[in-house]
Amino acid sequence: MSDKQLSGILIMLVPQIIKEIIDNEKLSEDEATEALYGSELYAALEDEKTKLWHLSAKALYELYRQEKQLGKIDFPEEA
């Protein structure tokens, strides 16, 4: 997958993840956006090799939540 294709997917996926954060964490849009972009999850999502873009926004939110609670992410094998 090219960088351009991955960028296109992220443009659609990131707002959905941010909405999950807003709805579940009760953060403002700015706070949720900053939290996601500063996360290990987002860095991994930007790396095409992780294949995390295959996962749903809800599944990615659960990985985000895991990172916040445990300080690390256990990446699923299917990603």
Coordinates of all heavy atoms in Angstrom, one line a residue:
M1 N 0.9 -1.2 0.0 CA 0.0 0.0 0.0 C 0.9 1.2 0.0 O 1.9 1.3 0.7 CB -0.9 0.0 1.2 CG -1.7 1.3 1.4 SD -2.8 1.3 2.9 CE -3.9 0.1 2.4
S2 N 0.5 2.2 -0.8 CA 1.3 3.4 -0.9 C 1.0 4.3 0.3 O 0.0 4.2 1.0 CB 1.0 4.2 -2.2 OG -0.3 4.8 -2.1
D3 N 1.9 5.3 0.6 CA 1.6 6.3 1.6 C 0.4 7.1 1.3 O -0.4 7.4 2.3 CB 2.8 7.3 1.7 CG 4.0 6.6 2.4 OD1 3.9 5.5 3.0 OD2 5.1 7.2 2.2
K4 N 0.1 7.4 0.1 CA -1.1 8.1 -0.3 C -2.4 7.3 0.0 O -3.3 7.9 0.5 CB -1.1 8.5 -1.8 CG -2.1 9.4 -2.2 CD -2.0 9.8 -3.7 CE -3.0 10.8 -4.1 NZ -2.9 11.2 -5.5
Q5 N -2.3 6.0 -0.2 CA -3.5 5.2 0.1 C -3.7 5.1 1.6 O -4.8 5.2 2.1 CB -3.3 3.8 -0.5 CG -3.4 3.7 -2.0 CD -3.0 2.4 -2.5 OE1 -1.9 1.8 -2.1 NE2 -3.7 1.8 -3.5
L6 N -2.6 4.9 2.3 CA -2.7 4.9 3.8 C -3.3 6.2 4.3 O -4.1 6.2 5.2 CB -1.4 4.5 4.4 CG -1.4 4.5 6.0 CD1 -2.3 3.4 6.5 CD2 0.0 4.2 6.5
S7 N -2.8 7.3 3.8 CA -3.3 8.6 4.2 C -4.8 8.7 4.0 O -5.5 9.3 4.8 CB -2.6 9.7 3.5 OG -1.2 9.8 3.9
G8 N -5.3 8.2 2.9 CA -6.7 8.3 2.6 C -7.5 7.5 3.6 O -8.6 7.9 4.0
I9 N -7.0 6.3 4.0 CA -7.7 5.5 5.0 C -7.7 6.2 6.3 O -8.7 6.3 7.0 CB -7.0 4.1 5.1 CG1 -7.3 3.3 3.8 CG2 -7.5 3.4 6.3 CD1 -6.5 2.0 3.7
L10 N -6.5 6.8 6.7 CA -6.5 7.5 8.0 C -7.4 8.7 8.0 O -8.0 9.0 9.1 CB -5.0 7.9 8.3 CG -4.0 6.7 8.6 CD1 -2.6 7.3 8.8 CD2 -4.5 5.8 9.7
I11 N -7.5 9.4 6.9 CA -8.4 10.5 6.9 C -9.9 10.1 7.2 O -10.6 10.9 7.9 CB -8.4 11.2 5.5 CG1 -7.1 12.0 5.3 CG2 -9.6 12.1 5.2 CD1 -6.8 12.5 4.0
M12 N -10.2 8.9 6.9 CA -11.6 8.4 7.2 C -11.6 7.8 8.5 O -12.7 7.9 9.2 CB -12.0 7.4 6.1 CG -12.2 8.0 4.7 SD -12.5 6.9 3.4 CE -13.9 6.0 4.0
L13 N -10.6 7.1 9.0 CA -10.6 6.3 10.2 C -10.4 7.2 11.5 O -11.0 7.0 12.5 CB -9.5 5.2 10.1 CG -9.5 4.1 11.1 CD1 -10.9 3.4 11.2 CD2 -8.5 3.1 10.8
V14 N -9.5 8.1 11.4 CA -9.1 8.9 12.6 C -10.3 9.6 13.2 O -10.5 9.6 14.4 CB -7.9 9.9 12.3 CG1 -7.7 10.9 13.3 CG2 -6.6 9.0 12.1
P15 N -11.1 10.3 12.4 CA -12.3 11.0 13.0 C -13.2 10.0 13.8 O -13.8 10.3 14.8 CB -13.0 11.6 11.8 CG -12.0 11.8 10.8 CD -11.0 10.6 11.0
Q16 N -13.3 8.8 13.2 CA -14.2 7.8 13.9 C -13.6 7.4 15.3 O -14.3 7.2 16.2 CB -14.3 6.5 13.0 CG -15.1 6.8 11.7 CD -15.0 5.6 10.8 OE1 -15.1 4.5 11.3 NE2 -14.9 5.8 9.5
I17 N -12.2 7.2 15.3 CA -11.6 6.9 16.6 C -11.7 8.1 17.6 O -12.0 7.9 18.7 CB -10.1 6.6 16.4 CG1 -9.9 5.4 15.4 CG2 -9.4 6.3 17.7 CD1 -8.5 5.3 14.9
I18 N -11.6 9.3 17.1 CA -11.7 10.5 17.9 C -13.1 10.5 18.5 O -13.3 10.8 19.7 CB -11.4 11.8 17.1 CG1 -9.8 11.8 16.9 CG2 -11.8 13.0 17.9 CD1 -9.4 12.9 16.0
K19 N -14.1 10.2 17.7 CA -15.5 10.2 18.2 C -15.7 9.1 19.3 O -16.3 9.4 20.3 CB -16.5 9.9 17.0 CG -17.9 9.9 17.5 CD -18.9 9.7 16.4 CE -20.3 9.7 16.8 NZ -20.7 9.4 18.1
E20 N -15.0 8.0 19.1 CA -15.1 6.9 20.2 C -14.5 7.5 21.5 O -15.0 7.3 22.6 CB -14.4 5.7 19.7 CG -15.0 4.9 18.7 CD -16.3 4.2 19.1 OE1 -16.4 3.8 20.3 OE2 -17.2 4.1 18.3
I21 N -13.4 8.2 21.3 CA -12.7 8.8 22.5 C -13.6 9.8 23.2 O -13.8 9.8 24.4 CB -11.3 9.4 22.2 CG1 -10.4 8.3 21.7 CG2 -10.7 10.1 23.3 CD1 -9.1 8.8 21.1
I22 N -14.2 10.7 22.4 CA -15.1 11.7 22.9 C -16.3 11.0 23.6 O -16.6 11.4 24.8 CB -15.6 12.6 21.8 CG1 -14.5 13.5 21.2 CG2 -16.8 13.5 22.2 CD1 -14.8 14.2 19.9
D23 N -16.9 10.1 23.0 CA -18.1 9.4 23.6 C -17.8 8.7 24.8 O -18.6 8.6 25.8 CB -18.7 8.5 22.5 CG -19.3 9.2 21.4 OD1 -19.5 10.5 21.4 OD2 -19.7 8.6 20.4
N24 N -16.6 8.0 24.9 CA -16.3 7.1 26.0 C -15.5 7.8 27.1 O -15.6 7.4 28.3 CB -15.6 5.9 25.5 CG -16.5 5.0 24.7 OD1 -17.4 4.3 25.2 ND2 -16.3 5.0 23.4
E25 N -14.7 8.8 26.7 CA -13.8 9.4 27.7 C -14.3 10.8 28.2 O -13.7 11.4 29.1 CB -12.4 9.6 27.1 CG -11.8 8.3 26.5 CD -11.3 7.3 27.6 OE1 -10.9 7.8 28.7 OE2 -11.4 6.1 27.3
K26 N -15.4 11.2 27.5 CA -16.0 12.5 27.9 C -15.0 13.7 27.7 O -14.9 14.5 28.6 CB -16.6 12.5 29.3 CG -17.6 11.4 29.5 CD -18.7 11.4 28.5 CE -19.7 10.3 28.8 NZ -20.3 9.6 27.7
L27 N -14.2 13.6 26.7 CA -13.2 14.7 26.4 C -13.8 15.6 25.3 O -14.7 15.2 24.5 CB -11.9 14.1 25.9 CG -11.1 13.2 26.9 CD1 -9.9 12.6 26.2 CD2 -10.7 14.0 28.1
S28 N -13.3 16.8 25.2 CA -13.7 17.7 24.1 C -13.0 17.1 22.8 O -12.1 16.3 22.9 CB -13.2 19.1 24.3 OG -11.7 19.2 24.2
E29 N -13.4 17.6 21.7 CA -12.8 17.2 20.4 C -11.3 17.5 20.4 O -10.5 16.7 19.9 CB -13.6 17.8 19.2 CG -13.1 17.3 17.9 CD -13.8 17.8 16.7 OE1 -14.9 18.5 16.9 OE2 -13.4 17.5 15.6
D30 N -11.0 18.7 20.8 CA -9.5 19.1 20.8 C -8.7 18.2 21.8 O -7.6 17.7 21.4 CB -9.4 20.5 21.3 CG -9.8 21.5 20.2 OD1 -10.0 21.1 19.0 OD2 -10.0 22.7 20.5
E31 N -9.3 17.9 22.9 CA -8.6 17.0 23.9 C -8.4 15.6 23.3 O -7.4 15.0 23.5 CB -9.3 16.9 25.2 CG -9.3 18.2 26.0 CD -10.3 18.2 27.2 OE1 -11.3 17.6 27.1 OE2 -9.9 18.9 28.2
A32 N -9.5 15.1 22.7 CA -9.5 13.7 22.2 C -8.5 13.6 21.0 O -7.8 12.7 20.9 CB -10.9 13.3 21.7
T33 N -8.5 14.7 20.2 CA -7.6 14.7 19.0 C -6.1 14.7 19.5 O -5.3 13.9 19.0 CB -7.9 15.9 18.1 OG1 -9.2 15.8 17.7 CG2 -6.9 16.0 17.0
E34 N -5.8 15.6 20.5 CA -4.5 15.7 21.0 C -4.1 14.3 21.7 O -2.9 13.9 21.5 CB -4.4 16.8 22.0 CG -3.0 17.1 22.5 CD -3.0 18.3 23.5 OE1 -3.7 19.3 23.2 OE2 -2.2 18.2 24.5
A35 N -5.0 13.7 22.4 CA -4.7 12.5 23.1 C -4.4 11.4 22.0 O -3.4 10.6 22.2 CB -5.9 12.0 24.0
L36 N -5.2 11.3 21.0 CA -4.9 10.2 20.0 C -3.6 10.5 19.2 O -2.8 9.6 19.1 CB -6.1 10.2 19.0 CG -5.9 9.2 17.8 CD1 -5.8 7.8 18.4 CD2 -7.0 9.3 16.8
Y37 N -3.4 11.7 18.8 CA -2.2 12.0 18.0 C -0.9 11.8 18.9 O 0.2 11.6 18.3 CB -2.2 13.4 17.4 CG -3.1 13.5 16.2 CD1 -3.9 14.6 16.0 CD2 -3.2 12.5 15.2 CE1 -4.8 14.7 14.9 CE2 -4.0 12.6 14.1 CZ -4.8 13.7 14.0 OH -5.6 13.8 12.9
G38 N -1.0 11.9 20.2 CA 0.1 11.7 21.1 C 0.3 10.3 21.5 O 1.2 10.0 22.3
S39 N -0.5 9.4 21.0 CA -0.5 8.0 21.5 C 0.4 7.1 20.7 O 0.7 7.4 19.6 CB -1.9 7.4 21.5 OG -2.4 7.2 20.2
E40 N 0.8 6.1 21.4 CA 1.6 5.0 20.7 C 0.7 4.4 19.6 O 1.2 4.0 18.6 CB 2.0 3.9 21.7 CG 2.7 2.8 21.2 CD 3.0 1.7 22.2 OE1 3.0 2.0 23.4 OE2 3.2 0.5 21.8
L41 N -0.6 4.3 19.9 CA -1.5 3.7 18.9 C -1.4 4.5 17.6 O -1.4 3.9 16.5 CB -2.9 3.7 19.5 CG -4.0 3.2 18.5 CD1 -3.8 1.8 18.1 CD2 -5.4 3.5 18.9
Y42 N -1.5 5.8 17.7 CA -1.5 6.6 16.4 C -0.2 6.4 15.7 O -0.2 6.2 14.5 CB -1.7 8.1 16.7 CG -1.8 8.8 15.4 CD1 -3.0 8.7 14.6 CD2 -0.8 9.6 14.9 CE1 -3.1 9.4 13.4 CE2 -0.9 10.2 13.7 CZ -2.0 10.1 13.0 OH -2.1 10.8 11.7
A43 N 0.9 6.3 16.4 CA 2.2 6.1 15.7 C 2.2 4.8 15.0 O 2.7 4.6 13.9 CB 3.3 6.2 16.8
A44 N 1.7 3.8 15.7 CA 1.6 2.4 15.1 C 0.6 2.4 13.9 O 0.8 1.8 12.9 CB 1.2 1.4 16.1
L45 N -0.5 3.2 14.0 CA -1.5 3.3 12.9 C -0.9 3.9 11.7 O -1.2 3.5 10.5 CB -2.7 4.1 13.4 CG -3.9 4.1 12.6 CD1 -4.5 2.7 12.3 CD2 -5.0 4.9 13.3
E46 N 0.0 4.8 11.9 CA 0.7 5.5 10.7 C 1.7 4.6 10.0 O 2.0 4.8 8.9 CB 1.4 6.7 11.2 CG 0.6 7.9 11.5 CD 1.4 9.1 11.7 OE1 2.3 9.1 12.6 OE2 1.2 10.2 11.1
D47 N 2.1 3.5 10.7 CA 3.0 2.6 10.1 C 2.2 1.5 9.4 O 1.6 0.6 10.0 CB 3.9 1.9 11.2 CG 4.9 1.0 10.7 OD1 5.0 0.7 9.5 OD2 5.7 0.5 11.5
E48 N 2.3 1.5 8.1 CA 1.5 0.6 7.2 C 1.8 -0.9 7.6 O 0.9 -1.7 7.5 CB 1.8 0.9 5.7 CG 0.8 0.2 4.8 CD 1.1 -1.2 4.4 OE1 2.3 -1.6 4.5 OE2 0.2 -2.0 4.2
K49 N 3.0 -1.1 8.0 CA 3.4 -2.5 8.3 C 2.7 -3.2 9.4 O 2.5 -4.4 9.5 CB 4.9 -2.6 8.6 CG 5.8 -2.2 7.4 CD 7.3 -2.2 7.9 CE 8.1 -1.3 7.0 NZ 9.2 -0.7 7.6
T50 N 2.1 -2.3 10.3 CA 1.3 -2.9 11.4 C 0.0 -3.4 11.0 O -0.6 -4.2 11.7 CB 1.1 -1.8 12.5 OG1 0.2 -0.8 12.0 CG2 2.4 -1.3 13.1
K51 N -0.5 -2.9 9.9 CA -1.8 -3.3 9.4 C -3.0 -3.0 10.3 O -4.1 -3.5 10.2 CB -1.9 -4.8 9.0 CG -0.8 -5.3 8.1 CD -0.9 -4.7 6.7 CE 0.1 -5.4 5.8 NZ 0.5 -4.5 4.7
L52 N -2.8 -2.1 11.2 CA -3.8 -1.7 12.2 C -5.0 -1.0 11.5 O -6.1 -1.1 12.0 CB -3.3 -0.8 13.3 CG -2.4 -1.4 14.3 CD1 -1.9 -0.4 15.3 CD2 -3.1 -2.5 15.0
W53 N -4.8 -0.5 10.3 CA -5.8 0.2 9.6 C -6.9 -0.8 9.1 O -8.0 -0.4 8.8 CB -5.3 1.0 8.4 CG -4.4 0.2 7.5 CD1 -3.0 0.1 7.7 CD2 -4.7 -0.7 6.4 NE1 -2.5 -0.8 6.7 CE2 -3.5 -1.3 5.9 CE3 -5.9 -1.0 5.8 CZ2 -3.5 -2.1 4.8 CZ3 -5.9 -1.9 4.7 CH2 -4.7 -2.4 4.3
H54 N -6.7 -2.1 9.3 CA -7.7 -3.1 9.0 C -8.8 -3.2 10.1 O -9.8 -3.7 9.8 CB -7.0 -4.5 8.9 CG -6.4 -4.8 7.6 ND1 -7.1 -5.2 6.5 CD2 -5.1 -4.8 7.3 CE1 -6.2 -5.4 5.5 NE2 -5.0 -5.2 5.9
L55 N -8.4 -2.7 11.2 CA -9.3 -2.8 12.4 C -10.4 -1.7 12.4 O -10.2 -0.6 11.8 CB -8.6 -2.7 13.7 CG -7.5 -3.8 13.9 CD1 -6.7 -3.6 15.2 CD2 -8.1 -5.2 13.9
S56 N -11.5 -2.0 13.0 CA -12.6 -1.0 13.1 C -12.2 0.1 14.1 O -11.3 -0.1 14.9 CB -13.9 -1.7 13.6 OG -13.7 -2.0 15.0
A57 N -12.9 1.2 14.0 CA -12.7 2.3 14.9 C -12.9 1.9 16.4 O -12.2 2.3 17.3 CB -13.6 3.5 14.6
K58 N -13.9 1.0 16.6 CA -14.2 0.6 18.0 C -13.0 -0.3 18.5 O -12.6 -0.2 19.6 CB -15.5 -0.2 18.0 CG -16.7 0.6 17.9 CD -18.0 -0.1 18.2 CE -19.2 0.7 18.0 NZ -19.3 1.9 18.9
A59 N -12.5 -1.2 17.6 CA -11.4 -2.0 18.0 C -10.1 -1.2 18.3 O -9.4 -1.4 19.3 CB -11.1 -3.1 17.0
L60 N -9.9 -0.2 17.5 CA -8.8 0.7 17.7 C -9.0 1.6 18.9 O -8.0 1.8 19.7 CB -8.6 1.6 16.5 CG -8.1 0.9 15.2 CD1 -8.3 1.7 14.0 CD2 -6.7 0.5 15.4
Y61 N -10.2 2.0 19.2 CA -10.4 2.7 20.5 C -10.1 1.8 21.7 O -9.5 2.2 22.7 CB -11.9 3.2 20.6 CG -12.2 3.6 22.0 CD1 -11.6 4.7 22.6 CD2 -12.9 2.8 22.9 CE1 -11.8 5.1 23.9 CE2 -13.1 3.1 24.2 CZ -12.6 4.3 24.7 OH -12.8 4.6 26.0
E62 N -10.4 0.5 21.6 CA -10.1 -0.4 22.7 C -8.6 -0.6 22.9 O -8.1 -0.6 24.0 CB -10.7 -1.8 22.5 CG -12.2 -1.8 22.6 CD -12.7 -1.3 24.0 OE1 -12.1 -1.7 25.0 OE2 -13.7 -0.6 24.1
L63 N -7.8 -0.5 21.8 CA -6.4 -0.5 21.9 C -5.9 0.8 22.5 O -4.9 0.8 23.3 CB -5.7 -0.7 20.5 CG -5.9 -2.1 19.9 CD1 -5.3 -2.1 18.5 CD2 -5.3 -3.2 20.8
Y64 N -6.5 1.9 22.2 CA -6.2 3.2 22.8 C -6.4 3.1 24.3 O -5.6 3.6 25.1 CB -7.0 4.3 22.1 CG -7.0 5.6 22.8 CD1 -6.0 6.5 22.6 CD2 -8.0 5.9 23.7 CE1 -5.9 7.7 23.3 CE2 -8.0 7.1 24.4 CZ -6.9 8.0 24.2 OH -6.9 9.2 24.9
R65 N -7.6 2.6 24.6 CA -7.9 2.5 26.1 C -7.0 1.6 26.8 O -6.5 1.9 27.9 CB -9.4 2.0 26.2 CG -10.0 2.2 27.6 CD -11.4 1.8 27.6 NE -11.7 0.5 27.2 CZ -11.7 -0.6 28.1 NH1 -11.4 -0.4 29.3 NH2 -11.9 -1.8 27.7
Q66 N -6.6 0.5 26.2 CA -5.6 -0.4 26.8 C -4.3 0.4 27.0 O -3.7 0.2 28.1 CB -5.4 -1.6 25.9 CG -4.4 -2.6 26.4 CD -4.2 -3.7 25.3 OE1 -3.3 -3.5 24.5 NE2 -5.0 -4.7 25.4
E67 N -3.8 1.1 26.0 CA -2.6 1.9 26.2 C -2.7 2.9 27.3 O -1.7 3.0 28.1 CB -2.3 2.7 24.9 CG -1.1 3.5 25.0 CD -0.8 4.4 23.7 OE1 -1.5 4.2 22.7 OE2 0.0 5.3 23.8
K68 N -3.8 3.5 27.5 CA -4.0 4.5 28.6 C -4.0 3.8 29.9 O -3.5 4.4 30.9 CB -5.2 5.4 28.3 CG -5.2 6.3 27.1 CD -4.0 7.2 27.2 CE -3.8 8.0 25.9 NZ -2.5 8.6 25.8
Q69 N -4.6 2.7 30.0 CA -4.8 2.0 31.3 C -3.5 1.2 31.7 O -3.1 1.2 32.8 CB -6.0 1.0 31.2 CG -7.3 1.7 31.2 CD -8.4 0.7 31.1 OE1 -8.3 -0.5 30.8 NE2 -9.6 1.2 31.4
L70 N -2.9 0.6 30.7 CA -1.7 -0.3 31.0 C -0.4 0.3 30.6 O 0.6 -0.3 31.0 CB -1.9 -1.6 30.3 CG -3.2 -2.4 30.6 CD1 -3.3 -3.7 29.7 CD2 -3.3 -2.7 32.1
G71 N -0.4 1.4 29.9 CA 0.9 2.0 29.5 C 1.5 1.2 28.3 O 2.6 1.5 27.9
K72 N 0.8 0.3 27.7 CA 1.3 -0.5 26.6 C 0.1 -1.0 25.8 O -1.0 -1.1 26.3 CB 2.3 -1.6 27.0 CG 1.6 -2.7 27.8 CD 2.6 -3.7 28.2 CE 1.8 -4.8 28.9 NZ 1.9 -6.1 28.3
I73 N 0.4 -1.5 24.6 CA -0.6 -2.1 23.7 C -0.2 -3.5 23.4 O 1.0 -3.8 23.0 CB -0.8 -1.3 22.4 CG1 -1.2 0.1 22.7 CG2 -1.8 -2.0 21.5 CD1 -1.2 1.0 21.4
D74 N -1.1 -4.4 23.6 CA -0.9 -5.8 23.1 C -1.6 -5.9 21.7 O -2.8 -6.0 21.7 CB -1.5 -6.8 24.0 CG -0.8 -6.9 25.3 OD1 0.5 -6.8 25.3 OD2 -1.4 -7.1 26.4
F75 N -0.8 -5.7 20.7 CA -1.4 -5.7 19.3 C -2.0 -7.1 19.0 O -1.4 -8.1 19.2 CB -0.3 -5.3 18.3 CG 0.1 -3.9 18.5 CD1 1.3 -3.6 19.0 CD2 -0.7 -2.8 18.1 CE1 1.8 -2.3 19.2 CE2 -0.3 -1.5 18.3 CZ 0.9 -1.2 18.8
P76 N -3.2 -7.1 18.4 CA -3.8 -8.3 18.0 C -3.0 -9.0 16.8 O -2.5 -8.3 16.0 CB -5.2 -7.9 17.5 CG -5.1 -6.5 17.2 CD -4.0 -5.9 18.0
E77 N -3.0 -10.3 16.8 CA -2.3 -11.0 15.7 C -2.9 -10.8 14.4 O -2.2 -10.8 13.4 CB -2.2 -12.5 16.0 CG -1.3 -12.8 17.2 CD -1.2 -14.3 17.5 OE1 -1.4 -15.1 16.5 OE2 -1.0 -14.6 18.6
E78 N -4.2 -10.5 14.3 CA -4.9 -10.4 13.0 C -4.6 -9.1 12.3 O -4.9 -8.8 11.2 CB -6.4 -10.6 13.1 CG -7.1 -9.6 13.8 CD -7.3 -9.8 15.3 OE1 -6.6 -10.8 15.8 OE2 -8.0 -9.1 16.0
A79 N -4.0 -8.1 13.1 CA -3.7 -6.8 12.5 C -2.5 -6.8 11.6 O -2.2 -7.4 10.8 CB -3.3 -5.8 13.6

